[in-house]
Amino acid sequence: MGPRGSALICVYTSHHRLLESCLADLKKKEDCLLCPTGFAANMALMVALGSVGSLLPDGKKPLKNEKVVIFSDALNHASIIDGIRLADRQQVQIYVYKHCDMVHLNTLLSSCTLQKKVVVSDGLFSMDGDFAPIKELAELRKKHGFLLVIDDAHGTLVCGKNGGGVAEEFNCESDVDICVGTLSKAAGCQGGFIACSKKWKQLLQSRGRSFIFSTALPVPIAAAAHAAIVVGKKEKWRRKAIWRRVQDFQALTKIPITSPIISLVVGSEENALIASKHILESGFHVTAIRPPTVPANSCRLRVTLSAAHTIDDLLKLTTALSLCIKFKDIGVVTNFYKADGYYAKL
Protein backbone atom coordinates (compact mmCIF):
# COMPACT_ATOMS: atom_id res chain seq x y z
CA MET A 1 0.00 0.00 0.00
CA GLY A 2 3.02 2.29 0.23
CA PRO A 3 4.02 4.61 3.07
CA ARG A 4 1.23 5.54 5.48
CA GLY A 5 0.76 8.95 7.10
CA SER A 6 -0.58 12.41 6.42
CA ALA A 7 0.09 13.97 3.01
CA LEU A 8 2.00 16.92 4.47
CA ILE A 9 4.41 14.74 6.44
CA CYS A 10 5.46 11.76 4.36
CA VAL A 11 2.85 10.59 1.86
CA TYR A 12 2.76 12.73 -1.25
CA THR A 13 4.02 10.93 -4.33
CA SER A 14 4.09 11.45 -8.09
CA HIS A 15 0.91 9.35 -8.25
CA HIS A 16 -0.93 11.78 -5.99
CA ARG A 17 0.30 14.78 -7.97
CA LEU A 18 -0.68 13.14 -11.27
CA LEU A 19 -4.19 12.55 -9.94
CA GLU A 20 -4.50 16.13 -8.71
CA SER A 21 -3.37 17.50 -12.09
CA CYS A 22 -5.80 15.23 -13.93
CA LEU A 23 -8.72 16.35 -11.74
CA ALA A 24 -7.78 20.03 -12.05
CA ASP A 25 -7.80 19.63 -15.83
CA LEU A 26 -11.14 17.80 -15.74
CA LYS A 27 -12.70 20.62 -13.71
CA LYS A 28 -10.92 23.43 -15.60
CA LYS A 29 -9.26 24.76 -12.44
CA GLU A 30 -5.69 25.84 -11.67
CA ASP A 31 -5.04 23.12 -9.12
CA CYS A 32 -6.57 20.45 -6.93
CA LEU A 33 -6.18 19.09 -3.41
CA LEU A 34 -6.73 15.40 -2.64
CA CYS A 35 -8.49 14.43 0.59
CA PRO A 36 -9.02 11.01 2.18
CA THR A 37 -12.79 11.11 1.48
CA GLY A 38 -15.39 13.37 -0.08
CA PHE A 39 -16.73 14.01 3.43
CA ALA A 40 -13.28 15.18 4.55
CA ALA A 41 -13.03 17.43 1.49
CA ASN A 42 -16.22 19.31 2.36
CA MET A 43 -15.24 19.51 6.02
CA ALA A 44 -11.82 20.95 5.14
CA LEU A 45 -13.31 23.50 2.75
CA MET A 46 -16.07 24.73 5.07
CA VAL A 47 -13.66 25.15 7.96
CA ALA A 48 -11.22 27.02 5.71
CA LEU A 49 -14.03 29.29 4.52
CA GLY A 50 -14.86 30.07 8.11
CA SER A 51 -11.29 30.85 9.07
CA VAL A 52 -10.62 33.46 6.43
CA GLY A 53 -12.59 35.19 3.68
CA SER A 54 -9.83 37.11 1.94
CA LEU A 55 -9.81 35.22 -1.35
CA LEU A 56 -13.18 36.18 -2.79
CA PRO A 57 -13.53 36.75 -6.55
CA ASP A 58 -13.33 40.57 -6.50
CA GLY A 59 -9.81 40.46 -5.04
CA LYS A 60 -10.56 43.14 -2.46
CA LYS A 61 -8.70 43.08 0.82
CA PRO A 62 -10.82 41.82 3.73
CA LEU A 63 -12.09 44.14 6.40
CA LYS A 64 -10.81 43.27 9.84
CA ASN A 65 -13.14 41.10 11.92
CA GLU A 66 -15.75 40.90 9.15
CA LYS A 67 -17.70 37.68 9.16
CA VAL A 68 -17.96 35.27 6.29
CA VAL A 69 -21.57 34.58 5.30
CA ILE A 70 -22.41 31.11 3.95
CA PHE A 71 -25.66 30.47 2.06
CA SER A 72 -26.42 26.74 1.88
CA ASP A 73 -29.12 24.84 -0.04
CA ALA A 74 -31.57 23.10 2.28
CA LEU A 75 -30.80 19.69 0.75
CA ASN A 76 -27.01 19.89 0.73
CA HIS A 77 -25.07 16.77 1.69
CA ALA A 78 -24.44 16.02 5.37
CA SER A 79 -20.71 16.66 4.92
CA ILE A 80 -21.44 20.26 3.91
CA ILE A 81 -23.82 20.70 6.82
CA ASP A 82 -21.33 19.30 9.34
CA GLY A 83 -18.55 21.43 7.87
CA ILE A 84 -20.70 24.54 8.24
CA ARG A 85 -21.43 23.58 11.84
CA LEU A 86 -17.70 23.59 12.54
CA ALA A 87 -17.27 26.86 10.66
CA ASP A 88 -20.07 28.34 12.78
CA ARG A 89 -17.79 28.08 15.82
CA GLN A 90 -15.61 30.69 14.12
CA GLN A 91 -18.46 33.21 14.16
CA VAL A 92 -19.60 32.52 10.61
CA GLN A 93 -23.04 33.79 9.66
CA ILE A 94 -25.22 31.09 8.06
CA TYR A 95 -28.37 31.14 5.96
CA VAL A 96 -30.19 28.09 4.61
CA TYR A 97 -32.20 28.81 1.47
CA LYS A 98 -35.14 26.72 0.27
CA HIS A 99 -34.12 23.87 -2.00
CA CYS A 100 -33.14 25.23 -5.43
CA ASP A 101 -35.23 28.36 -4.74
CA MET A 102 -33.35 31.19 -6.44
CA VAL A 103 -35.96 33.79 -5.46
CA HIS A 104 -35.42 32.97 -1.80
CA LEU A 105 -31.63 32.96 -2.23
CA ASN A 106 -31.70 36.32 -4.03
CA THR A 107 -33.79 37.80 -1.22
CA LEU A 108 -31.32 36.58 1.41
CA LEU A 109 -28.34 37.85 -0.58
CA SER A 110 -29.96 41.25 -1.16
CA SER A 111 -30.70 41.73 2.52
CA CYS A 112 -27.17 40.77 3.62
CA THR A 113 -24.90 43.77 4.22
CA LEU A 114 -21.68 41.81 4.71
CA GLN A 115 -19.24 41.65 1.80
CA LYS A 116 -17.74 38.17 2.07
CA LYS A 117 -20.51 35.92 0.79
CA VAL A 118 -20.27 32.23 -0.14
CA VAL A 119 -22.99 30.12 -1.77
CA VAL A 120 -22.61 26.34 -1.59
CA SER A 121 -24.79 23.75 -3.30
CA ASP A 122 -24.73 20.16 -4.48
CA GLY A 123 -24.59 19.98 -8.27
CA LEU A 124 -26.72 16.84 -8.51
CA PHE A 125 -28.59 16.07 -5.30
CA SER A 126 -27.97 12.57 -4.02
CA MET A 127 -31.35 11.79 -2.45
CA ASP A 128 -33.71 13.34 -5.00
CA GLY A 129 -31.73 13.17 -8.23
CA ASP A 130 -32.47 16.76 -9.26
CA PHE A 131 -29.94 19.30 -10.54
CA ALA A 132 -29.05 22.57 -8.89
CA PRO A 133 -30.05 25.57 -11.07
CA ILE A 134 -26.44 26.24 -12.06
CA LYS A 135 -27.24 28.88 -14.67
CA GLU A 136 -29.38 30.84 -12.22
CA LEU A 137 -26.66 30.54 -9.57
CA ALA A 138 -24.17 31.89 -12.09
CA GLU A 139 -26.40 34.90 -12.77
CA LEU A 140 -26.79 35.60 -9.05
CA ARG A 141 -23.01 35.32 -8.66
CA LYS A 142 -22.56 38.10 -11.22
CA LYS A 143 -25.14 40.21 -9.43
CA HIS A 144 -23.95 39.73 -5.84
CA GLY A 145 -20.26 38.84 -6.25
CA PHE A 146 -20.24 35.78 -4.01
CA LEU A 147 -17.89 32.80 -4.07
CA LEU A 148 -19.69 29.84 -5.66
CA VAL A 149 -18.91 26.35 -4.34
CA ILE A 150 -20.40 23.27 -6.03
CA ASP A 151 -20.22 19.73 -4.65
CA ASP A 152 -20.23 17.69 -7.85
CA ALA A 153 -19.93 14.23 -6.30
CA HIS A 154 -22.66 12.74 -8.50
CA GLY A 155 -22.05 14.78 -11.64
CA THR A 156 -18.34 14.14 -12.14
CA LEU A 157 -17.69 11.88 -15.17
CA VAL A 158 -21.47 11.49 -15.59
CA CYS A 159 -22.37 14.94 -16.91
CA GLY A 160 -20.75 17.07 -19.60
CA LYS A 161 -19.18 16.15 -22.93
CA ASN A 162 -15.82 15.37 -21.29
CA GLY A 163 -17.21 14.25 -17.93
CA GLY A 164 -16.42 17.59 -16.31
CA GLY A 165 -19.67 17.47 -14.39
CA VAL A 166 -22.75 19.60 -13.91
CA ALA A 167 -20.93 22.90 -14.58
CA GLU A 168 -19.67 21.61 -17.94
CA GLU A 169 -23.11 20.24 -18.78
CA PHE A 170 -24.63 23.71 -18.37
CA ASN A 171 -21.60 25.61 -19.72
CA CYS A 172 -20.91 27.35 -16.41
CA GLU A 173 -17.41 26.08 -15.54
CA SER A 174 -15.91 29.57 -15.30
CA ASP A 175 -18.68 30.63 -12.89
CA VAL A 176 -17.87 27.93 -10.34
CA ASP A 177 -15.00 29.07 -8.11
CA ILE A 178 -14.46 25.82 -6.20
CA CYS A 179 -15.59 22.31 -7.10
CA VAL A 180 -15.66 19.51 -4.52
CA GLY A 181 -15.98 15.88 -5.53
CA THR A 182 -15.46 12.27 -4.61
CA LEU A 183 -13.62 9.37 -6.22
CA SER A 184 -16.07 6.83 -4.79
CA LYS A 185 -18.88 7.34 -7.31
CA ALA A 186 -18.24 7.28 -11.09
CA ALA A 187 -14.50 6.73 -10.61
CA GLY A 188 -15.23 3.64 -8.52
CA CYS A 189 -12.32 4.19 -6.12
CA GLN A 190 -11.94 6.11 -2.86
CA GLY A 191 -11.07 9.64 -1.80
CA GLY A 192 -12.20 13.22 -2.23
CA PHE A 193 -10.88 16.30 -3.97
CA ILE A 194 -11.20 20.07 -4.07
CA ALA A 195 -10.54 21.65 -7.47
CA CYS A 196 -9.70 25.32 -7.03
CA SER A 197 -7.15 28.08 -7.57
CA LYS A 198 -3.55 27.76 -6.38
CA LYS A 199 -4.22 30.34 -3.63
CA TRP A 200 -7.18 28.41 -2.34
CA LYS A 201 -5.14 25.22 -2.32
CA GLN A 202 -2.50 26.92 -0.17
CA LEU A 203 -5.20 28.06 2.23
CA LEU A 204 -6.73 24.60 2.43
CA GLN A 205 -3.33 23.01 3.10
CA SER A 206 -2.88 25.26 6.11
CA ARG A 207 -6.47 25.49 7.44
CA GLY A 208 -8.28 22.35 6.30
CA ARG A 209 -7.88 20.20 9.40
CA SER A 210 -9.61 17.11 8.01
CA PHE A 211 -6.97 17.13 5.26
CA ILE A 212 -4.00 18.05 7.45
CA PHE A 213 -4.55 15.44 10.15
CA SER A 214 -5.84 12.51 8.09
CA THR A 215 -3.95 9.63 6.54
CA ALA A 216 -3.45 10.25 2.83
CA LEU A 217 -4.77 8.02 0.07
CA PRO A 218 -2.73 4.82 -0.39
CA VAL A 219 -0.51 4.92 -3.47
CA PRO A 220 -2.37 2.12 -5.33
CA ILE A 221 -5.69 3.91 -4.77
CA ALA A 222 -4.28 7.17 -6.14
CA ALA A 223 -2.92 5.35 -9.19
CA ALA A 224 -6.19 3.48 -9.76
CA ALA A 225 -8.23 6.68 -9.42
CA HIS A 226 -6.03 8.41 -11.98
CA ALA A 227 -6.53 5.53 -14.42
CA ALA A 228 -10.29 5.69 -13.82
CA ILE A 229 -10.43 9.43 -14.53
CA VAL A 230 -8.46 8.98 -17.75
CA VAL A 231 -10.77 6.17 -18.89
CA GLY A 232 -13.92 8.00 -17.83
CA LYS A 233 -12.93 11.15 -19.68
CA LYS A 234 -11.82 9.35 -22.84
CA GLU A 235 -14.59 6.75 -23.21
CA LYS A 236 -17.53 9.03 -23.82
CA TRP A 237 -19.73 6.09 -24.78
CA ARG A 238 -20.08 5.36 -21.05
CA ARG A 239 -21.85 8.68 -20.44
CA LYS A 240 -24.06 8.14 -23.48
CA ALA A 241 -24.98 4.70 -22.16
CA ILE A 242 -25.99 6.10 -18.75
CA TRP A 243 -28.28 8.72 -20.27
CA ARG A 244 -29.84 6.15 -22.62
CA ARG A 245 -30.74 4.11 -19.54
CA VAL A 246 -32.30 7.21 -17.97
CA GLN A 247 -34.48 7.63 -21.07
CA ASP A 248 -35.34 3.91 -21.05
CA PHE A 249 -36.40 3.97 -17.39
CA GLN A 250 -38.58 7.00 -18.00
CA ALA A 251 -40.20 5.36 -21.02
CA LEU A 252 -40.91 2.15 -19.11
CA THR A 253 -42.33 3.80 -15.97
CA LYS A 254 -43.60 7.18 -17.22
CA ILE A 255 -41.86 8.76 -14.22
CA PRO A 256 -40.37 12.14 -15.28
CA ILE A 257 -36.83 11.55 -14.00
CA THR A 258 -33.97 13.90 -14.85
CA SER A 259 -30.84 11.95 -13.85
CA PRO A 260 -29.46 8.45 -13.15
CA ILE A 261 -30.40 8.93 -9.47
CA ILE A 262 -34.03 7.87 -9.14
CA SER A 263 -35.80 8.46 -5.85
CA LEU A 264 -39.02 6.47 -5.35
CA VAL A 265 -40.77 7.62 -2.16
CA VAL A 266 -42.78 4.85 -0.52
CA GLY A 267 -43.51 6.39 2.88
CA SER A 268 -42.90 4.33 6.01
CA GLU A 269 -39.74 2.44 6.94
CA GLU A 270 -41.69 -0.83 6.88
CA ASN A 271 -42.87 -0.26 3.31
CA ALA A 272 -39.38 0.68 2.17
CA LEU A 273 -37.76 -2.37 3.78
CA ILE A 274 -40.39 -4.77 2.42
CA ALA A 275 -40.02 -3.34 -1.09
CA SER A 276 -36.20 -3.43 -0.91
CA LYS A 277 -36.27 -7.08 0.21
CA HIS A 278 -38.64 -8.04 -2.60
CA ILE A 279 -36.46 -6.36 -5.21
CA LEU A 280 -33.31 -8.00 -3.79
CA GLU A 281 -34.99 -11.39 -4.13
CA SER A 282 -35.65 -10.44 -7.75
CA GLY A 283 -31.92 -9.94 -8.28
CA PHE A 284 -31.51 -6.18 -7.82
CA HIS A 285 -29.77 -4.31 -5.01
CA VAL A 286 -31.99 -1.27 -4.42
CA THR A 287 -31.52 -0.01 -0.89
CA ALA A 288 -34.16 1.49 1.39
CA ILE A 289 -33.23 5.04 2.38
CA ARG A 290 -34.50 5.78 5.89
CA PRO A 291 -34.05 8.32 8.72
CA PRO A 292 -31.78 10.01 9.58
CA THR A 293 -30.84 10.31 5.90
CA VAL A 294 -34.38 11.46 5.06
CA PRO A 295 -37.25 12.62 7.31
CA ALA A 296 -39.74 10.14 8.78
CA ASN A 297 -42.48 8.92 6.43
CA SER A 298 -40.49 9.94 3.36
CA CYS A 299 -38.53 6.68 3.16
CA ARG A 300 -37.64 5.73 -0.36
CA LEU A 301 -36.04 3.31 -2.74
CA ARG A 302 -33.07 4.83 -4.52
CA VAL A 303 -32.25 3.40 -7.91
CA THR A 304 -28.88 4.35 -9.38
CA LEU A 305 -28.36 3.58 -13.06
CA SER A 306 -24.96 2.93 -14.60
CA ALA A 307 -23.38 2.34 -17.99
CA ALA A 308 -23.15 -1.37 -17.13
CA HIS A 309 -26.94 -1.79 -17.08
CA THR A 310 -28.71 -3.06 -20.18
CA ILE A 311 -32.24 -2.53 -21.44
CA ASP A 312 -32.97 -6.11 -20.37
CA ASP A 313 -31.85 -5.24 -16.83
CA LEU A 314 -34.26 -2.32 -16.79
CA LEU A 315 -37.15 -4.44 -18.06
CA LYS A 316 -36.61 -6.92 -15.23
CA LEU A 317 -36.10 -4.16 -12.65
CA THR A 318 -39.24 -2.23 -13.57
CA THR A 319 -41.24 -5.46 -13.52
CA ALA A 320 -40.01 -6.19 -10.00
CA LEU A 321 -40.69 -2.60 -8.91
CA SER A 322 -44.22 -2.65 -10.34
CA LEU A 323 -45.15 -5.48 -7.96
CA CYS A 324 -44.50 -3.36 -4.88
CA ILE A 325 -45.08 0.27 -5.94
CA LYS A 326 -47.48 2.07 -8.28
CA PHE A 327 -45.59 4.09 -10.86
CA LYS A 328 -48.53 6.41 -11.44
CA ASP A 329 -48.32 7.54 -7.83
CA ILE A 330 -44.61 8.40 -8.08
CA GLY A 331 -43.55 11.88 -9.14
CA VAL A 332 -40.34 13.85 -9.22
CA VAL A 333 -39.39 14.75 -5.67
CA THR A 334 -38.64 18.47 -5.58
CA ASN A 335 -38.92 21.09 -2.86
CA PHE A 336 -39.84 18.31 -0.44
CA TYR A 337 -38.20 19.98 2.52
CA LYS A 338 -38.60 23.44 3.97
CA ALA A 339 -35.57 25.57 4.76
CA ASP A 340 -36.39 25.19 8.45
CA GLY A 341 -37.20 21.51 8.13
CA TYR A 342 -35.76 18.36 9.66
CA TYR A 343 -32.93 17.78 7.24
CA ALA A 344 -31.86 21.38 6.71
CA LYS A 345 -31.33 22.40 10.34
CA LEU A 346 -27.74 23.37 11.05
Side-chain angles (χ1 to χ4, degrees):
M1 299 298 285
R4 312 303 305 124
S6 66
L8 295 180
I9 294 178
C10 61
V11 189
Y12 189 79
T13 69
S14 59
H15 296 286
H16 294 85
R17 182 57 202 153
L18 195 61
L19 177 56
E20 286 181 336
S21 298
C22 186
L23 287 166
D25 179 68
L26 181 69
K27 294 296 182 179
K28 298 295 185 291
K29 296 291 178 277
E30 283 186 341
D31 214 329
C32 179
L33 181 71
L34 289 178
C35 292
T37 63
F39 201 106
N42 270 324
M43 295 286 281
L45 177 57
M46 294 303 115
V47 170
L49 285 170
S51 67
V52 61
S54 61
L55 298 175
L56 296 181
D58 57 13
K60 295 179 180 178
K61 292 183 179 180
L63 300 175
K64 290 184 178 179
N65 301 320
E66 186 186 353
K67 291 181 179 179
V68 174
V69 188
I70 299 177
F71 299 83
S72 176
D73 189 286
L75 287 192
N76 276 340
H77 190 265
S79 57
I80 296 174
I81 294 174
D82 284 1
I84 292 175
R85 283 173 175 160
L86 285 179
D88 188 33
R89 297 183 180 182
Q90 304 174 54
Q91 302 302 308
V92 172
Q93 194 166 323
I94 300 167
Y95 292 98
V96 177
Y97 63 90
K98 297 176 184 178
H99 178 51
C100 291
D101 190 331
M102 296 298 98
V103 174
H104 186 214
L105 176 58
N106 182 57
T107 300
L108 293 174
L109 287 164
S110 299
S111 62
C112 180
T113 58
L114 299 179
Q115 291 185 9
K116 296 183 287 187
K117 302 179 182 71
V118 180
V119 173
V120 56
S121 173
D122 280 16
L124 175 56
F125 289 86
S126 61
M127 284 298 115
D128 293 278
D130 57 335
F131 288 96
I134 296 291
K135 289 187 175 180
E136 289 86 345
L137 284 169
E139 290 300 315
L140 286 179
R141 176 180 175 271
K142 294 175 184 176
K143 178 181 178 180
H144 295 282
F146 55 75
L147 187 87
L148 180 57
V149 177
I150 296 296
D151 181 344
D152 206 18
H154 294 274
T156 301
L157 294 181
V158 172
C159 300
K161 181 180 179 181
N162 300 302
V166 174
E168 184 189 24
E169 179 73 26
F170 294 98
N171 196 29
C172 295
E173 289 173 299
S174 62
D175 297 298
V176 176
D177 298 290
I178 299 176
C179 183
V180 182
T182 178
L183 299 167
S184 63
K185 299 296 185 289
C189 293
Q190 178 188 340
F193 64 87
I194 306 168
C196 55
S197 67
K198 292 184 181 297
K199 286 186 176 181
W200 266 108
K201 182 175 180 177
Q202 291 175 347
L203 176 68
L204 290 162
Q205 287 175 319
S206 63
R207 301 294 179 88
R209 292 171 64 86
S210 59
F211 159 77
I212 297 168
F213 298 103
S214 291
T215 299
L217 290 178
V219 173
I221 298 297
H226 174 256
I229 297 297
V230 171
V231 169
K233 184 177 180 180
K234 180 180 179 181
E235 298 184 358
K236 298 179 181 180
W237 63 266
R238 296 179 184 273
R239 274 180 291 287
K240 294 179 180 178
I242 292 173
W243 291 102
R244 281 198 299 269
R245 296 293 82 83
V246 172
Q247 294 173 348
D248 292 338
F249 189 95
Q250 184 173 14
L252 288 167
T253 64
K254 308 304 180 185
I255 300 174
I257 61 175
T258 58
S259 79
I261 300 173
I262 303 164
S263 188
L264 306 173
V265 177
V266 295
S268 69
E269 289 191 51
E270 182 181 7
N271 288 342
L273 288 170
I274 290 173
S276 179
K277 182 181 179 182
H278 162 72
I279 297 168
L280 182 62
E281 291 171 348
S282 300
F284 297 93
H285 185 212
V286 178
T287 54
I289 307 298
R290 300 169 288 159
T293 305
V294 295
N297 297 318
S298 70
C299 299
R300 62 199 62 189
L301 300 175
R302 187 176 71 162
V303 176
T304 306
L305 303 178
S306 79
H309 292 132
T310 65
I311 184 63
D312 187 54
D313 291 330
L314 262 62
L315 286 168
K316 293 177 181 177
L317 171 62
T318 53
T319 298
L321 285 170
S322 67
L323 297 177
C324 54
I325 62 173
K326 295 180 180 179
F327 293 140
K328 65 181 180 63
D329 296 332
I330 300 293
V332 177
V333 184
T334 56
N335 297 315
F336 186 85
Y337 309 93
K338 301 293 184 180
D340 59 348
Y342 170 87
Y343 189 79
K345 283 186 178 178
L346 293 168

